[in-house]
Amino acid sequence: MNKHKRFIRMMSGALLLTTILLSACGDISSTDNRKIDGYWLLTNIDSIAKGQGKNVSQEKMFWAIEGKLFQTNGLTLMTEKYRDTLRLYRPVSDSASVDSKHLSIEPYRRYGINSFDEHFFIEQLTQKHLIVRNTILRLQFRRY
């Protein structure tokens, strides 16, 4: 009887844990047919202040966007797309390379990310191209 009670407790605990994990994942689910979802190759970085651009297509830098998640080079952020605005914010703390207490933005600047709460204006979004800009940079992508 003791083994039976222990088994029931273990199964109840596993069921509770599964329920908690599934409800947490509900916050990260993808949205239906967002044109911005996908794997984007960064091709050009333009400095708005200097008016200079740099072709970076050979450097193989990618943005991955799926539903409410954004990822680049091990950094995972939450995303919001509203009309012609894209917001990248709040690092996901269980990301492999993220220690939220000691996280530095420095390694992600080359990907056009200069803060952990970025707001981009979407200049162009088609099936093949994405162009976003903030006050500092204009970033051009090609769907990969």
Side-chain angles (χ1 to χ4, degrees), residues 22 24 32 42 84 91:
L22 288 175
D32 293 330
L42 183 58
D84 55 4

Side-chain angles (χ1 to χ4, degrees), residues 88-102:
L88 308 176
Y89 66 102
R90 197 178 73 215
V92 177
S93 60
D94 63 348
S95 181
S97 67
V98 173
D99 175 1
S100 60
K101 293 179 184 175
H102 301 98

Side-chain angles (χ1 to χ4, degrees), residues 14-85:
L15 182 60
L16 177 64
L17 181 61
T18 301
T19 303
I20 291 169
L21 289 173
L22 288 175
S23 66
C25 289
D27 193 34
I28 299 177
S29 64
S30 65
T31 57
D32 293 330
N33 297 325
R34 287 195 334 169
K35 284 170 64 175
I36 202 164
D37 285 356
Y39 203 52
W40 297 96
L41 173 65
L42 183 58
T43 58
N44 289 291
I45 299 176
D46 302 325
S47 169
I48 292 176
K50 296 179 183 176
Q52 297 175 338
K54 179 180 178 186
N55 182 327
V56 294
S57 58
Q58 298 304 312
E59 296 182 36
K60 303 294 182 199
M61 296 186 288
F62 293 94
W63 279 17
I65 300 172
E66 180 65 38
K68 295 182 180 181
L69 291 177
F70 162 88
Q71 187 171 44
T72 191
N73 195 34
L75 174 67
T76 303
L77 299 171
M78 300 301 295
T79 72
E80 277 180 357
K81 181 186 176 295
Y82 182 72
R83 296 186 184 169
D84 55 4
T85 302

Side-chain angles (χ1 to χ4, degrees), residues 122-134:
I122 300 170
E123 290 185 355
Q124 181 183 24
L125 175 58
T126 68
Q127 290 297 324
K128 295 183 180 185
H129 294 96
L130 170 65
I131 301 174
V132 297
R133 71 171 158 79
N134 60 18

